[in-house]
Amino acid sequence: MTEPVSSDQPPFRPGGSVPDDPLVTTDINGRILFWNPGAAALFGHAEAEILGHSALELVPPEDRADHLRTLRELFTLGGELPTGSLPLRGFTRDQERIELDLSLFTWNTPHGRRFMGVMRPRQAQATPPAVPEQLSITTKLFEHAVEGMVVMDRDWNVLAANKAFTDICGHDLDTLAGHPAPLFRNQEAGTPSRQDVIIALEQDGAWRGEVRNRRASGEVYKESLAITTVRNSFGRTTHFVAVCHDLSSAIRTEEEFRFHTSHDALTGLPNRFLFTDRLEQILNHAHRSGEHVTLLVLGLDGFKHINESLGHPVGDQVLREVAERIRTLIRREDTVGRLSGDEFAILFRDARHESRSVVAVMQKLMDGLSQPIRIGDQDLTLTASMGLTVFPGDGDNALTLIRNTNLAMTRAKQAGKNTYKFYTSAMGSQATKRLILENSLRKALENEEFVVHYQPKVDVFSGQVMGMEALVRWNQPGMGMVPPGDFITIAEETGLIVPMGRWVLETSCRQTREWLDAGLGPLQVAINLSARQFQVGNLNDTIREVLDKTGLDPRFLELEITESLMMTDIDKSITTLQELTDDMGLKVAVDDFGTGYSSLSYLKQFPIHTIKIDRSFINNLSSGTDDDAIVRAILSLARSLNLQVVAEGVETAEQLAILRELQCEMFQGYLFSKPVDAAAFETLVRRERAKQPAV
């Protein structure tokens, strides 16, 4: 039998209510089952015409969607009823909107759960005198706050914003009102989206962070942003409030501070501290690459007399003009700094060590600096004395080179000024030595004077040899082993590196195939590619031919390239490497990682498999150091990109222990073995294999 809709009277009277209070009872679907005279008087509906209708008819149309969602949560999903009274807007038969206080109650019947609402018109309450004043203060705080503030509805549309907010975003309030707040306009990688923030707000009710946003002008800027969720008594989100602070000024101040602490205030050039730091970095790279570095220090002749006779303001103008002239006379890749007073230093990276080229550079500087400088109504003519050193012959660190170069400059001044001196008189003999070396190098390949040495790559945890790096060595008759730094650069400059690289590739692949056939594997051989080899158009054909000739499976060949080589021509590099990896199945490693200038956004586009941490970060590796932090960061980056990591230059047990703790996969270095010839390498691997427990 169907239950009559008019029979469900509440079994109790709520505490505090009176007989005339409007009472409405509904079922779980919101259908009105009971309607007392108080409800009829309040809403204007007779009992007969309202029973069986939806309770949503008692709410204004614009509020029904919100109330429907709330009722579904409370009734259908079994949500707990709120205690106390809740604010509600009623909707009468005459379509009048009235403000009510609603109290909810529930009980169970044989026919299902019932809900009763007790409604009372909201009474205007006397407001204490302090409230209007407090509201006025709050309004003024909102309007005049330094931080930008914006109030939004639940759809993020702007309801109110203060002047600071409109100043920051560049939109006026009329433009913003009713439209989504401009909080997440910048789509750069790493910038949180509004959806990311919404998820956090749903979980925590608040979100705070730093974001990069975009003004109405299109300018991208950084700001701190805090967003808070505002919920009603039903726990539903009704508004969002955001407070933002433009960080542009703070960032500029920080950048200016860093600049002023590392640059000369008068000329804007790197000061002694920054110049020395850059020199040290370049020397560290030159240690590994075999590059030569030329350091020049020049001192103005008679500058003290200018200061004493014309005053320091004139002297400052002279120094600024000299700095600007030096900038225009050197290459963009060269580094210039002001060491002190009238002393300037210039760093020529990867300099060609023919005496005529070095002299040409100095002569160009001397001619440019000797041109008259116009100060007021007079012309001042200056000369400069210069000293030079060349790495590695004249010093193996920045301080030594600077000291030796200053000594050479002092000797130039002592020799009559307006001239130059090398730290040693060996420049001519060095040029002769280079010429002889180049001629010998051309014959070395056909005379089979090159050999390949192999340095093991070892599993950090098991100690098992997993592969090796192939390194070319020159065993010159009558001279013994020639240091790689003495001939690799010459081979690169002359183009001999291409046939030499082909020989190393073929020799290493053949040897690896022999080891694999002898059951010494699995072993993967890594071979370094030079810039000249990479730029040659037939590199991929050469590698394919060598693999076919030697029969080595491409899976056991890894090519090592440097960061700087990758970034030389990005599009070409990506195309070349993709053909090697995708079409041929080779592996690619980035050598000396962390010392170049590659962008992380580009790094993920390259088809690389391995990162080799440069030895400069391993040398001083210990817990809590900057190098420790850098290595951790590299390993974290590698894991996020699913890359294998090899640490180079491991020489101590402590370094290995830290790498093991940091979960680095492989290492190579003198702790395990220096580079050795093929026979010694095979003996080493067999000995280590014998130590491994049988499976």
Side-chain angles (χ1 to χ4, degrees):
M1 178 176 180
T2 304
E3 174 196 9
V5 297
S6 60
S7 65
D8 253 21
Q9 298 187 15
F12 60 90
R13 178 172 299 280
S17 66
V18 298
D20 292 335
D21 281 342
L23 299 179
V24 179
T25 300
T26 71
D27 61 13
I28 196 168
N29 296 312
R31 190 170 54 123
I32 298 175
L33 304 176
F34 176 77
W35 182 264
N36 79 341
L42 178 64
F43 288 96
H45 294 286
E47 181 181 22
E49 66 182 12
I50 196 66
L51 289 178
H53 287 240
S54 171
L56 289 176
E57 295 181 20
L58 307 179
V59 178
E62 64 270 19
D63 295 347
R64 288 172 185 172
D66 269 349
H67 281 272
L68 180 60
R69 284 194 295 267
T70 301
L71 289 174
R72 283 175 177 169
E73 288 184 4
L74 292 175
F75 297 173
T76 306
L77 301 180
E80 293 184 3
L81 294 181
T83 59
S85 62
L86 303 174
L88 174 73
R89 283 207 306 168
F91 192 60
T92 69
R93 191 171 189 273
D94 297 330
Q95 299 186 357
E96 177 186 359
R97 290 161 176 77
I98 53 178
E99 300 296 328
L100 303 172
D101 287 323
L102 170 67
S103 299
L104 290 174
F105 304 90
T106 184
W107 71 96
N108 292 316
T109 74
H111 307 290
R113 197 177 182 197
R114 299 293 183 254
F115 298 88
M116 177 176 65
V118 179
M119 290 162 283
R120 300 183 182 89
R122 190 175 305 159
Q123 301 296 322
Q125 298 180 358
T127 303
V131 172
E133 180 181 355
Q134 186 176 4
L135 292 175
S136 175
I137 293 173
T138 302
T139 301
K140 288 182 179 179
L141 285 174
F142 178 81
E143 293 175 349
H144 300 290
V146 176
E147 288 77 12
M149 297 183 181
V150 59
V151 179
M152 301 159 283
D153 62 19
R154 66 167 178 265
D155 296 319
W156 297 78
N157 296 314
V158 175
L159 301 177
N162 67 355
K163 184 177 183 302
F165 184 82
T166 59
D167 289 344
I168 292 173
C169 71
H171 297 278
D172 57 51
L173 185 56
D174 291 338
T175 303
L176 293 173
H179 294 87
L183 297 178
F184 305 99
R185 292 288 175 86
N186 187 46
Q187 299 301 315
E188 292 183 4
T191 300
S193 65
R194 188 174 66 181
Q195 190 58 39
D196 295 332
V197 175
I198 288 175
I199 293 173
L201 289 172
E202 289 176 349
Q203 294 175 347
D204 305 323
W207 179 88
R208 180 186 300 271
E210 292 185 358
V211 299
R212 295 180 67 82
N213 211 344
R214 190 179 298 274
R215 306 189 204 276
S217 64
E219 176 193 356
V220 176
Y221 66 102
K222 192 172 185 180
E223 66 179 355
S224 64
L225 182 63
I227 304 177
T228 302
T229 302
V230 179
R231 294 188 171 95
N232 61 18
S233 301
F234 292 95
R236 301 201 60 82
T237 298
T238 60
H239 299 82
F240 296 105
V241 178
V243 179
C244 59
H245 182 76
D246 190 346
L247 298 176
S248 302
S249 178
I251 292 174
R252 282 195 299 270
T253 300
E254 182 180 351
E255 290 174 347
E256 289 172 1
F257 174 77
R258 285 202 301 263
F259 181 86
H260 289 310
T261 57
S262 60
H263 289 75
D264 173 46
L266 182 63
T267 63
L269 295 176
N271 57 21
R272 176 181 285 271
F273 174 79
L274 179 58
F275 184 87
T276 303
D277 181 69
R278 289 182 178 175
L279 175 57
E280 199 71 68
Q281 292 181 30
I282 291 175
L283 294 183
N284 286 337
H285 183 271
H287 270 292
R288 299 183 300 274
S289 65
E291 288 182 355
H292 288 73
V293 178
T294 298
L295 176 63
L296 181 151
V297 172
L298 68 87
L300 301 179
D301 299 327
F303 180 74
K304 181 180 178 181
H305 176 70
I306 293 177
N307 266 340
E308 291 176 348
S309 59
L310 302 179
H312 287 280
V314 173
D316 290 346
Q317 292 183 56
V318 169
L319 291 173
R320 282 192 289 266
E321 176 63 24
V322 168
E324 185 57 34
R325 289 189 183 184
I326 293 175
R327 284 192 186 101
T328 62
L329 291 170
I330 63 175
R331 302 174 303 176
R332 180 178 298 179
E333 61 265 32
D334 298 328
T335 301
V336 59
R338 183 184 177 203
L339 299 185
S340 64
D342 62 355
E343 289 187 7
F344 296 84
I346 307 171
L347 184 60
F348 302 98
R349 187 174 181 178
D350 194 20
R352 305 297 186 257
H353 302 293
E354 300 165 357
S355 59
R356 61 181 181 275
S357 64
V358 177
V359 172
V361 172
M362 289 188 293
Q363 194 60 55
K364 183 180 179 181
L365 286 167
M366 293 175 71
D367 292 343
L369 295 176
S370 65
Q371 297 300 313
I373 298 176
R374 187 72 176 178
I375 303 292
D377 57 355
Q378 60 181 320
D379 291 331
L380 299 178
T381 301
L382 291 174
T383 60
S385 297
M386 305 180 187
L388 292 98
T389 53
V390 179
F391 170 87
D394 298 333
D396 61 358
N397 60 72
L399 295 180
T400 300
L401 282 178
I402 291 175
R403 184 183 67 243
N404 292 344
T405 312
N406 270 290
L407 178 58
M409 182 196 68
T410 300
R411 291 179 179 173
K413 287 183 177 290
Q414 293 171 347
K417 301 180 180 179
N418 194 28
T419 187
Y420 60 85
K421 289 289 183 182
F422 293 101
Y423 172 64
T424 67
S425 60
M427 192 66 180
S429 61
Q430 289 177 353
T432 302
K433 178 182 176 182
R434 185 189 188 282
L435 182 60
I436 295 172
L437 204 60
E438 180 179 331
N439 291 333
S440 301
L441 192 60
R442 293 183 183 277
K443 301 176 183 178
L445 194 58
E446 59 186 71
N447 292 339
E448 300 182 350
E449 296 173 8
F450 293 113
V451 294
V452 177
H453 283 192
Y454 302 90
Q455 185 171 38
K457 291 198 295 186
V458 186
D459 187 287
V460 167
F461 299 96
S462 69
Q464 182 176 349
V465 177
M466 306 301 296
M468 58 282 183
E469 181 178 359
L471 301 166
V472 64
R473 295 292 185 261
W474 183 10
N475 189 7
Q476 188 179 18
M479 300 292 294
M481 287 292 182
V482 180
D486 286 357
F487 69 91
I488 293 295
T489 302
I490 298 175
E492 183 80 24
E493 294 172 2
T494 59
L496 293 173
I497 195 71
V498 176
M500 181 192 302
R502 161 92 188 217
W503 179 86
V504 172
L505 177 65
E506 185 172 333
T507 301
S508 303
C509 287
R510 181 179 295 108
Q511 180 64 75
T512 303
R513 171 63 189 274
E514 292 176 4
W515 282 331
L516 292 174
D517 289 346
L520 214 59
L523 290 173
Q524 184 182 70
V525 63
I527 298 176
N528 293 280
L529 283 183
S530 72
R532 183 68 69 93
Q533 287 175 282
F534 202 72
Q535 292 162 3
V536 173
N538 64 346
L539 172 64
N540 293 0
D541 292 337
T542 298
I543 294 174
R544 189 175 287 107
E545 290 173 7
V546 169
L547 290 173
D548 290 341
K549 185 176 180 180
T550 61
L552 181 67
D553 189 321
R555 293 179 299 123
F556 298 107
L557 175 60
E558 182 180 71
L559 301 177
E560 293 188 7
I561 59 176
T562 61
E563 286 184 83
S564 56
L565 175 57
M566 275 196 319
M567 303 303 292
T568 301
D569 185 338
I570 294 173
D571 292 337
K572 180 181 178 182
S573 298
I574 292 176
T575 300
T576 301
L577 294 177
Q578 283 178 338
E579 183 177 349
L580 290 170
T581 57
D582 297 345
D583 297 349
M584 299 172 61
L586 305 182
K587 298 295 187 287
V588 175
V590 180
D591 197 14
D592 300 337
F593 185 79
T595 62
Y597 305 94
S598 61
S599 166
L600 297 183
S601 62
Y602 281 121
L603 185 62
K604 64 182 180 182
Q605 300 180 31
F606 287 92
I608 60 177
H609 307 84
T610 302
I611 286 176
K612 300 190 74 175
I613 303 176
D614 184 69
R615 67 179 62 245
S616 63
F617 302 121
I618 304 299
N619 287 342
N620 299 313
L621 182 62
S622 59
S623 298
T625 64
D626 290 344
D627 287 336
D628 177 76
I630 292 172
V631 171
R632 288 178 185 271
I634 293 175
L635 287 168
S636 176
L637 170 66
R639 292 190 190 101
S640 67
L641 297 177
N642 294 318
L643 301 177
Q644 191 177 62
V645 179
V646 179
E648 296 183 288
V650 177
E651 298 182 357
T652 68
E654 180 187 6
Q655 294 168 352
L656 180 59
I658 294 176
L659 292 171
R660 187 177 292 119
E661 176 189 345
L662 297 179
Q663 300 293 305
C664 179
E665 293 94 338
M666 290 197 291
F667 77 97
Q668 61 186 93
Y670 278 33
L671 177 65
F672 188 88
S673 173
K674 65 180 181 179
V676 294
D677 61 28
F681 180 83
E682 180 173 342
T683 300
L684 184 152
V685 174
R686 291 189 182 280
R687 184 179 67 242
E688 293 300 318
R689 290 279 196 274
K691 295 179 182 178
Q692 299 296 324
V695 179

